[in-house]
Amino acid sequence: MLASGTGTILEALISADLPIAVVVVDRPCRAIAVAEAAAVPVELVQRESFGPDFDRLAYTERVVDALKRHEIDLVAMAGFMTILEHPIHDAYGGRITNTHPSLLPAFKGAHAVEDAFAAGVKVTGCTVHVATLDLDNGPILAQEAVPVLPDDTAETLHERVKEVERRLYPQVLHELVEDAW
Ligand code: GRF
């Protein structure tokens, strides 16, 4: 499991009794406390740079090394905010999933909810997909629509989308785990 943020999706995966071998985070964040509270091992693979000198390839290799210290069948990303390079796909290709807060292929990228809100769409949603090197463009596993309400801000909209992600992502992962994907 890869996370960077508040870890509410991680909490949903833990509550859904998914077998989580390790949580890898790229920065100090609430997801660490969430994992620790559930006695799930945590690997902080600290990203040292957010600037042009960031060595994405070397960083990806550190993430793969951390994952390899555990027995992993599937890598589930939830709000992991570092784009990873080919080594993770070489190691776990086709077995990496992500949840994205828009109806892909609309609104790819790190600001999906803000972009959908700014575009004035009346319906957005979330997508669970297989992560590939082609960012936010891998095979779609599940999607669900979420309405944009008249009083929404980008924040209230994101929270409504995340409520659906917290239900949909565990469901999809359960199906994959049960199919011994
Ligand atoms: C989710 O909306 C996910 O799709 C996006 O980041 C959010 C993570 O939420 N990429 P949280 O940190 O698990 O609360």
Side-chain angles (χ1 to χ4, degrees):
M1 164 94 210
L2 305 182
S4 304
T6 57
T8 66
I9 293 174
L10 170 61
E11 279 174 315
L13 301 184
I14 290 169
S15 303
D17 282 332
L18 281 156
I20 303 175
V22 61
V23 173
V24 175
V25 295
D26 64 354
R27 66 198 77 189
C29 59
R30 181 176 172 269
I32 296 175
V34 170
E36 283 174 354
V40 176
V42 179
E43 298 261 6
L44 170 58
V45 183
Q46 177 104 31
R47 179 170 166 169
E48 305 297 352
S49 164
F50 289 83
D53 61 334
F54 177 52
D55 187 342
R56 202 173 290 281
L57 195 57
Y59 180 80
T60 303
E61 277 159 2
R62 288 170 57 208
V63 169
V64 172
D65 288 346
L67 289 170
K68 289 222 163 128
R69 287 194 278 273
H70 303 267
E71 250 184 69
I72 308 281
D73 297 314
L74 186 156
V75 179
M77 299 198 287
F80 191 68
M81 296 306 288
T82 298
I83 296 170
L84 297 174
E85 268 284 354
H86 69 81
I88 193 160
H89 299 281
D90 298 344
Y92 300 102
R95 294 181 291 140
I96 308 172
T97 58
N98 184 39
T99 175
H100 181 81
S102 75
L103 292 174
L104 291 172
F107 307 114
K108 295 176 180 170
H111 309 289
V113 178
E114 292 85 343
D115 292 347
F117 187 74
V121 297
K122 301 298 177 207
V123 176
T124 182
C126 59
T127 303
V128 177
H129 65 101
V130 179
T132 61
L133 256 185
D134 194 4
L135 194 69
D136 295 333
N137 210 24
I140 291 172
L141 299 170
Q143 286 187 308
E144 200 168 309
V146 173
V148 181
L149 302 182
D151 290 342
D152 265 337
T153 61
E155 289 71 32
T156 58
L157 176 59
H158 197 175
E159 191 45 45
R160 188 172 317 108
V161 171
K162 289 213 291 186
E163 277 169 28
V164 177
E165 292 185 278
R166 292 192 282 258
R167 173 168 46 74
L168 189 63
Y169 201 23
Q171 259 171 28
V172 172
L173 290 177
H174 262 298
E175 284 164 23
L176 293 177
V177 168
E178 275 146 33
D179 290 352
W181 196 38

